[in-house]
Amino acid sequence: MTITVGFLVFPGIQLLDLAGPYEIFSALPDGEIHLFWKTREPVACSAGMRIYPTTTLDDGPLVDVLCIPGGVGINPLLCDEEVRGWVQRQASTAQFVTSVCTGALLLGAAGLLAGRRATTHWRYHDLLAKFGAIPVQERVVRDGNLITGGSVTAGIDFGLVLVAALRGQAAAEEIQLALEYAPEPPFQAGRPEDAPKDIVEVVRRHTETLRAERERMI
């Protein structure tokens, strides 16, 4: 049976939030992927690469898996009634409702995290509670049909967890091996608890404005 996956794409999306799970889902032999936005005009990700939506919010189908990536462009969507309404409609019939990184904030703004366990990027993790969510410090968190991935690179892990939920662990392991996904980071700085304190402070300073804007909007 065909599994339809719908990603929301938008100006300022974090490329890897989309590309990681997209690569995983595209390996499903019975998968069908849609990229939704308000128009079919290309949108620029936060790094500048352009992404071409395949359908619009109004014209696209209801999907089995709804996935909301994150990125700096998530901010204006938190107060966008058209986008929030679309997320709610898709979530009402989807088999799985999911997010990567700060895409979880949009799920929260759409009222989908209240009383649910969830995760997001470490810099904004505490903001989940403002939506009534139960913040969990894990790379991938599943609560029923809600699956949230943490920071940017967690999108790959999240994708494998979802494939296992859909098709079993063996199917996920086949994809993992085909991609030779066996991360060995060159530095132990991928989490704030592991990174040197001065590095953590630099990243905090660089994201102060973005975090303050999100706090105001939430």
Side-chain angles (χ1 to χ4, degrees):
M1 184 179 73
T2 300
I3 295 293
T4 56
V5 179
F7 288 95
L8 178 67
V9 297
F10 49 89
I13 188 175
Q14 185 84 31
L15 179 60
L16 198 55
D17 285 6
L18 169 67
Y22 188 106
E23 186 72 33
I24 300 295
F25 300 150
S26 67
L28 286 172
D30 55 353
E32 180 180 293
I33 301 176
H34 301 273
L35 302 180
F36 289 83
W37 183 232
K38 295 180 180 182
T39 72
R40 289 178 180 246
E41 295 299 313
V43 297
C45 72
S46 57
M49 183 178 291
R50 294 191 175 275
I51 299 168
Y52 288 79
T54 60
T55 189
T56 66
L57 305 184
D58 292 331
D59 296 337
L62 293 173
V63 297
D64 300 309
V65 177
L66 171 65
C67 184
I68 310 297
V72 295
I74 208 74
N75 283 21
L77 303 186
L78 299 180
C79 297
D80 189 317
E81 293 186 6
E82 179 184 5
V83 172
R84 289 189 305 184
W86 175 82
V87 171
Q88 291 166 346
R89 289 193 301 275
Q90 288 285 355
S92 68
T93 59
Q95 182 179 352
F96 286 100
V97 177
T98 73
S99 65
V100 179
C101 199
T102 53
L105 300 181
L106 180 54
L107 293 182
L112 300 174
L113 295 187
R116 311 289 295 276
R117 300 168 66 251
T119 191
T120 190
H121 190 284
W122 66 269
R123 189 67 172 94
Y124 314 101
H125 197 266
D126 60 307
L127 299 180
L128 292 174
K130 295 184 181 295
F131 297 113
I134 303 169
V136 179
Q137 291 281 3
E138 293 179 8
R139 194 161 172 83
V140 181
V141 174
R142 179 175 179 181
D143 186 334
N145 75 330
L146 175 71
I147 304 179
T148 51
S151 300
V152 182
T153 58
I156 298 176
D157 303 61
F158 146 77
L160 292 171
V161 168
L162 183 54
V163 168
L166 289 167
R167 291 291 180 261
Q169 183 173 330
E173 289 177 340
E174 289 174 16
I175 295 173
Q176 181 177 358
L177 179 57
L179 297 177
E180 199 174 352
Y181 178 56
E184 296 180 2
F187 313 108
Q188 292 303 313
R191 300 184 301 176
E193 57 266 36
D194 298 328
K197 291 184 178 179
D198 58 330
I199 299 299
V200 175
E201 289 309 309
V202 168
V203 175
R204 287 185 182 276
R205 288 198 302 271
H206 287 171
T207 56
E208 279 179 357
T209 300
L210 184 61
R211 181 184 166 89
E213 180 181 358
R214 285 176 175 163
E215 287 181 332
R216 287 194 302 271
M217 299 184 79
I218 292 171

